[in-house]
Amino acid sequence: MTIAFPIKQLNTLDSDISGQKVYSNNYNDIYFQADIGMAEKQHVFLKGNNLPKNWQQHAHFTIAETGFGTGLNFLNTFKLWHKNNNGKQHLHYISCELHPFKRQQLQQILVAFPELEEYSKELLEKYPTILTYGFHRLHFQQYNLTLTLIFADCVTAFEQLQANVDAWFLDGFGPSKNPNMWSDRLFRVIANLSHINTSLATFTVARKIRDGLSAVGFSINKAPGFGQKREMLTAQMGKDAVTKEKQPWAQTFKAKKAKTYAVIGAGIAGLSLADKLQQQGRKVVLFDRQHQPCLETSGNPQAMIMPALTLNDSPEARFYLTAFLYALRYYDKKYYHPVGVQQLAFSNKQKNWQNKLIERFDLPEQLLTKTEAGLFYPLAGWLDTQGHAQNMGQNLNYQQAEIIKIDRDKEQWHMQGLDGAIYTTDVLILANGMNAKKLLNGYDLPITPKHGQISYFQANDKHKQIGACSHIQLAEGYITPSWHGIQTLGATFDHIDEPICYGAASTEKDHWQRNTSLWNGTDYEDYFKSLSSHKARAGIRATTADHLPICGAIIKQSKFKLDYHDIHHGKHWKQYPLPQAVENLYVLTGLGSRGFTSAPLLAESLCNQILATPQVLSHELQKAINPNRFLFKELKRK
Ligand SMILES: Cc1cc2nc3c(=O)[nH]c(=O)nc-3n(C[C@H](O)[C@H](O)[C@H](O)COP(=O)(O)OP(=O)(O)OC[C@H]3O[C@@H](n4cnc5c(N)ncnc54)[C@H](O)[C@@H]3O)c2cc1C
Ligand SMILES: C[S@@+](CC[C@H](N)C(=O)[O-])C[C@H]1O[C@@H](n2cnc3c(N)ncnc32)[C@H](O)[C@@H]1O
């Protein structure tokens, strides 16, 4: 099976940059016409799509572009949007790019456009440092604007996208210079992402493009071009897309008639989701049995945030890499400490593993470098969980209640609290770790509890003598650098039975001995012996067999089993019906040992599903976290 977005560096192009002249030596073409580039792009793409008029009636408007290049189209749109929206609308700009510029190159190009300075500054601040294949989402919250950059060939990029596009900017290099891009497959995927009246504009009037767009349902008009160019194309879609979903079993579901939202569980998963929904202007209540967010499993003072690479290019590795890059942009710099993680080559087996990893993947050095001690992740680090939780919590509508039962009538969900109180909501999301299983009585949710403990202690001066004490040290366990004199040592990983896993976790006496023993024979052994006291915290991880979280709608499993009972005979999956969802019920759990890395991306993805806004995850990764994947695989194997 081909992987849409493999884990490797992207190639940048050989280009000449001088003032407003940017030339690609690979394509022998200009990025835009010197001196009149901005005006030409405004004419072709903004006027050609009748903007801003066309977005005025939309609460949410989506533009998609081929070829992000220097970002000039995006910045023109950004500026126009800033001056022409009613403050309640949201613009989503999606652009694909096969050869992205590095940030320094973009900076060099964009200084030549002082009229865009405010917007270039915003873009450059958020532009990805690590250029990997796949989706990179940037939020410009105060402008009600989101940018999704998809680094890949445009066909692959758009085939992996779930979105409803309102306007297209077709802007690759010209068809004679870049014939591969302007393919029938591109036109088909453009049509699949469009709806009736979706508009499109491009600078080229080449016959192949007109015919290709007509064949997939666009009606084509020639319009006056800019400056000396006689003509350009505008087009309008005449029908709704036929195929939206790729694999019916992996369908996602938007919420219906939704005015109120309840999230049960204020760990890092629920907290992040409530934040995302609220940012989209939704009325959300966050429920937890504790008096404030992140007091149970998500309550360790320092949580490590890093990718989880594997020797093969697995969905797990791709998911956590995407999540890591998203988390770097999500967490406030006040609470995220990018001190770097040093993964020690502490045994021969580990050394071999690290050597193979470096050999197999061509990874950017901002992500990972080889050092004498092992591997070093320079941007990884740890989150001050309590600082983050308090900061987020103060803006959210919080309700302390332990929910013991959920029920739905025709209209709404009802949640019963331990004290008998009843709460109602239109949309219900279970983000309460293992306890989601308990509330979903009768639904098979394949999560397994694992008890874990960290030890923490007051650092003494000896820690400064240990060379690498400024980074997180990771071997079989991990140790964090001193913060306000405190260091964290983790973590145990043990089986725990039901039903005790449903209560708050209790600490065991052996945590110190077990967590320190992982460092026997190193400089730390003496250091730990020199400490006078230590404490412990315990939590319950909700884990899954494939190490990936569970994020999406709850479906009617018995109906699905009936519909798919013969899938193991090998009938093509296309011949099977869509699953049926339990109305307005979602789950976000199974975050395992890496919840602080994955929660922001998962929250964004679930928010996109619920609100039917452009999806932050590729189809490939959405399938990998779909709650229905376990049942589908089980029926296929039967
Ligand atoms: C020892 C240890 C060390 C770890 N270290 C790291 C690390 O360094 N980095 C990292 O990324 N991850 C780490 N993890 C994993 C991480 O803690 C989890 O992935 C993450 O906390 C899961 O978050 P969550 O929001 O899904 O669940 P939880 O944090 O468990 O949140 C669930 C919330 O639901 C509430 N709740 C439960 N039932 C109900 C109910 N019926 N009604 C109302 N409220 C309810 C609970 O009070 C809780 O606040 C560690 C885990 C352990 C155990
Ligand atoms: C003319 S430039 C785009 C200019 C850009 N829209 C702007 O406003 O600055 C064309 C871009 O398309 C990119 N490109 C070329 N072929 C591509 C493909 N098959 N898929 C994605 N991007 C491609 C090039 O790398 C280049 O950056």
Side-chain angles (χ1 to χ4, degrees):
M1 205 176 61
T2 41
I3 294 168
F5 304 126
I7 298 182
K8 64 176 185 187
Q9 291 198 65
L10 283 139
N11 297 324
T12 43
L13 288 184
D14 170 22
S15 41
D16 294 331
I17 302 170
S18 140
Q20 285 205 357
K21 287 192 191 127
V22 186
Y23 187 82
S24 164
N25 293 317
N26 304 71
Y27 287 92
N28 293 320
D29 205 354
I30 48 170
Y31 278 77
F32 41 77
Q33 296 202 64
D35 307 323
I36 55 163
M38 232 182 96
E40 179 177 18
K41 284 190 184 294
Q42 282 164 357
H43 175 83
V44 174
F45 297 104
L46 295 173
K47 262 182 108 178
N49 276 295
N50 200 16
L51 298 174
K53 191 161 182 282
N54 271 6
W55 68 44
Q56 274 161 5
Q57 303 309 319
H58 291 253
H60 195 289
F61 195 81
T62 303
I63 295 173
E65 175 189 44
T66 50
F68 185 73
T70 59
L72 217 51
N73 265 336
F74 168 68
L75 293 168
N76 273 335
T77 310
F78 193 162
K79 185 173 178 179
L80 188 72
W81 172 254
H82 185 203
K83 309 232 180 284
N84 294 278
N85 77 84
N86 68 16
K88 292 200 175 110
Q89 295 171 281
H90 194 95
L91 176 66
H92 202 123
Y93 194 100
I94 301 166
S95 187
C96 61
E97 176 55 60
L98 184 56
H99 309 286
F101 281 115
K102 294 189 175 126
R103 186 192 275 129
Q104 304 89 299
Q105 292 174 300
L106 270 191
Q107 197 158 14
Q108 191 189 345
I109 295 164
L110 294 174
V111 283
F113 298 92
E115 53 282 64
L116 294 173
E117 191 187 350
E118 174 182 352
Y119 312 100
S120 310
K121 213 171 131 224
E122 292 284 334
L123 172 65
L124 290 166
E125 207 179 288
K126 299 197 162 70
Y127 191 77
T129 316
I130 299 179
L131 302 179
T132 52
Y133 280 93
F135 287 43
H136 300 255
R137 180 162 289 181
L138 283 53
H139 298 276
F140 302 89
Q141 227 160 288
Q142 73 188 87
Y143 297 91
N144 290 336
L145 170 66
T146 305
L147 169 65
T148 299
L149 287 169
I150 313 176
F151 292 149
D153 169 70
C154 54
V155 170
T156 312
F158 291 138
E159 284 182 350
Q160 286 293 324
L161 174 68
Q162 186 180 337
N164 238 328
V165 177
D166 300 302
W168 286 94
F169 296 3
L170 294 201
D171 190 22
F173 292 120
S176 60
K177 305 282 172 97
N178 189 16
N180 291 343
M181 193 191 95
W182 302 87
S183 64
D184 288 344
R185 207 167 140 193
L186 174 66
F187 302 137
R188 271 199 303 277
V189 70
I190 284 177
N192 278 344
L193 292 167
S194 302
H195 54 79
I196 194 155
N197 290 335
T198 289
S199 64
L200 179 150
T202 182
F203 59 90
T204 171
V205 287
R207 178 85 203 223
K208 184 184 167 200
I209 313 308
R210 284 183 285 137
D211 290 352
L213 289 170
S214 299
V216 295
F218 280 95
S219 49
I220 308 289
N221 313 294
K222 281 188 185 168
F226 182 78
Q228 291 176 339
K229 291 199 181 157
R230 211 155 46 94
E231 293 175 319
M232 57 170 271
L233 272 193
T234 62
Q236 224 178 15
M237 190 50 157
K239 58 179 186 188
D240 278 324
V242 189
T243 42
K244 293 265 185 204
E245 275 310 316
K246 306 206 114 188
Q247 301 205 0
W249 73 265
Q251 167 83 343
T252 55
F253 296 89
K254 79 181 256 203
K256 294 177 188 156
K257 295 188 196 149
K259 290 214 163 58
T260 53
Y261 298 76
V263 179
I264 303 180
I268 191 62
L271 183 67
S272 312
L273 180 65
D275 170 51
K276 288 287 181 187
L277 286 166
Q278 188 161 291
Q279 273 176 29
Q280 291 298 315
R282 308 297 144 151
K283 220 172 142 199
V284 194
V285 182
L286 180 58
F287 290 83
D288 201 286
R289 60 188 177 193
Q290 303 293 343
H291 69 279
Q292 62 187 49
C294 291
L295 285 189
E296 292 203 3
T297 305
S298 299
N300 293 343
Q302 296 172 290
M304 191 160 58
I305 289 177
M306 66 177 296
L309 299 170
T310 56
L311 280 190
N312 57 346
D313 193 333
S314 63
E316 181 190 348
R318 289 197 296 281
F319 171 77
Y320 284 106
L321 178 56
T322 310
F324 170 66
L325 299 176
Y326 188 78
L328 292 183
R329 283 193 289 272
Y330 177 78
Y331 290 122
D332 193 315
K333 289 184 178 59
K334 250 198 238 161
Y335 308 108
Y336 179 59
H337 300 247
V339 293
V341 171
Q342 177 76 68
Q343 188 171 15
L344 302 166
F346 59 93
S347 66
N348 279 339
K349 194 171 162 208
Q350 176 65 204
K351 207 179 269 172
N352 288 339
W353 184 88
Q354 295 190 356
N355 288 339
K356 278 190 191 146
L357 191 82
I358 291 289
E359 261 167 45
R360 285 186 195 176
F361 295 101
D362 171 25
L363 296 168
E365 63 183 22
Q366 301 96 324
L367 179 66
L368 182 64
T369 51
K370 183 114 182 68
T371 64
E372 251 178 50
L375 299 178
F376 186 63
Y377 300 81
L379 296 177
W382 61 271
L383 183 76
D384 158 14
T385 64
Q386 297 307 293
H388 170 73
Q390 273 163 30
N391 181 44
M392 305 291 285
Q394 66 192 357
N395 303 319
L396 294 168
N397 194 352
Y398 192 84
Q399 173 70 52
Q400 183 178 10
E402 174 153 4
I403 305 301
I404 55 166
K405 197 166 167 229
I406 56 169
D407 259 321
R408 188 180 164 81
D409 62 21
K410 263 196 183 152
E411 304 289 322
Q412 282 195 307
W413 282 98
H414 304 279
M415 295 165 279
Q416 187 185 332
L418 187 62
D419 61 359
I422 302 286
Y423 308 91
T424 55
T425 181
D426 296 332
V427 182
L428 177 58
I429 303 116
L430 307 181
N432 53 337
M434 278 309 299
N435 278 275
K437 196 168 180 170
K438 206 168 150 198
L439 287 180
L440 285 173
N441 205 355
Y443 176 91
D444 183 15
L445 186 66
I447 47 176
T448 309
K450 295 287 173 196
H451 182 270
Q453 302 191 79
I454 52 135
S455 310
Y456 59 101
F457 55 87
Q458 191 75 39
N460 67 26
D461 272 357
K462 230 176 166 174
H463 88 276
K464 291 189 192 135
Q465 293 153 23
I466 302 174
C469 67
S470 53
H471 311 301
I472 295 176
Q473 301 293 302
L474 173 66
E476 283 179 287
Y478 63 87
I479 177 161
T480 63
S482 155
W483 175 59
H484 298 319
I486 299 289
Q487 284 184 278
T488 301
L489 190 57
T492 60
F493 193 89
D494 295 309
H495 175 75
I496 181 172
D497 287 320
E498 294 181 38
I500 38 172
C501 68
Y502 297 124
S506 52
T507 52
E508 308 286 332
K509 287 199 184 74
D510 64 354
H511 70 93
W512 181 249
Q513 180 268 325
R514 288 179 58 199
N515 281 328
T516 54
S517 69
L518 300 172
W519 298 89
N520 285 350
T522 71
D523 291 350
Y524 286 102
E525 191 175 347
D526 275 351
Y527 174 48
F528 294 143
K529 282 186 187 145
S530 73
L531 297 164
S532 50
S533 65
H534 45 74
K535 290 187 180 155
R537 267 201 104 261
I540 311 284
R541 308 170 183 94
T543 69
T544 59
D546 59 11
H547 307 293
L548 283 159
I550 295 179
C551 174
I554 294 294
I555 61 142
K556 295 179 181 164
Q557 286 184 323
S558 41
K559 167 101 174 67
F560 186 80
K561 281 182 195 164
L562 272 180
D563 288 344
Y564 280 68
H565 74 278
D566 58 354
I567 184 97
H568 59 286
H569 290 317
K571 229 174 26 171
H572 198 275
W573 49 257
K574 271 191 181 161
Q575 297 170 27
Y576 289 85
L578 294 176
Q580 274 180 17
V582 177
E583 194 149 315
N584 291 355
L585 181 63
Y586 300 86
V587 67
L588 175 52
T589 184
L591 278 71
S593 301
R594 306 202 175 96
F596 284 88
T597 303
S598 60
L601 182 67
L602 291 167
E604 175 72 8
S605 174
L606 190 51
C607 187
N608 298 153
Q609 287 186 41
I610 294 173
L611 305 181
T613 47
Q615 187 39 252
V616 68
L617 287 179
S618 61
H619 278 301
E620 202 176 63
L621 291 183
Q622 257 193 88
K623 267 195 303 174
I625 58 164
N626 190 308
N628 203 19
R629 67 188 185 272
F630 302 101
L631 184 53
F632 178 70
K633 280 181 196 156
E634 189 189 312
L635 292 168
K636 259 189 100 173
R637 263 200 314 264
K638 217 163 148 193

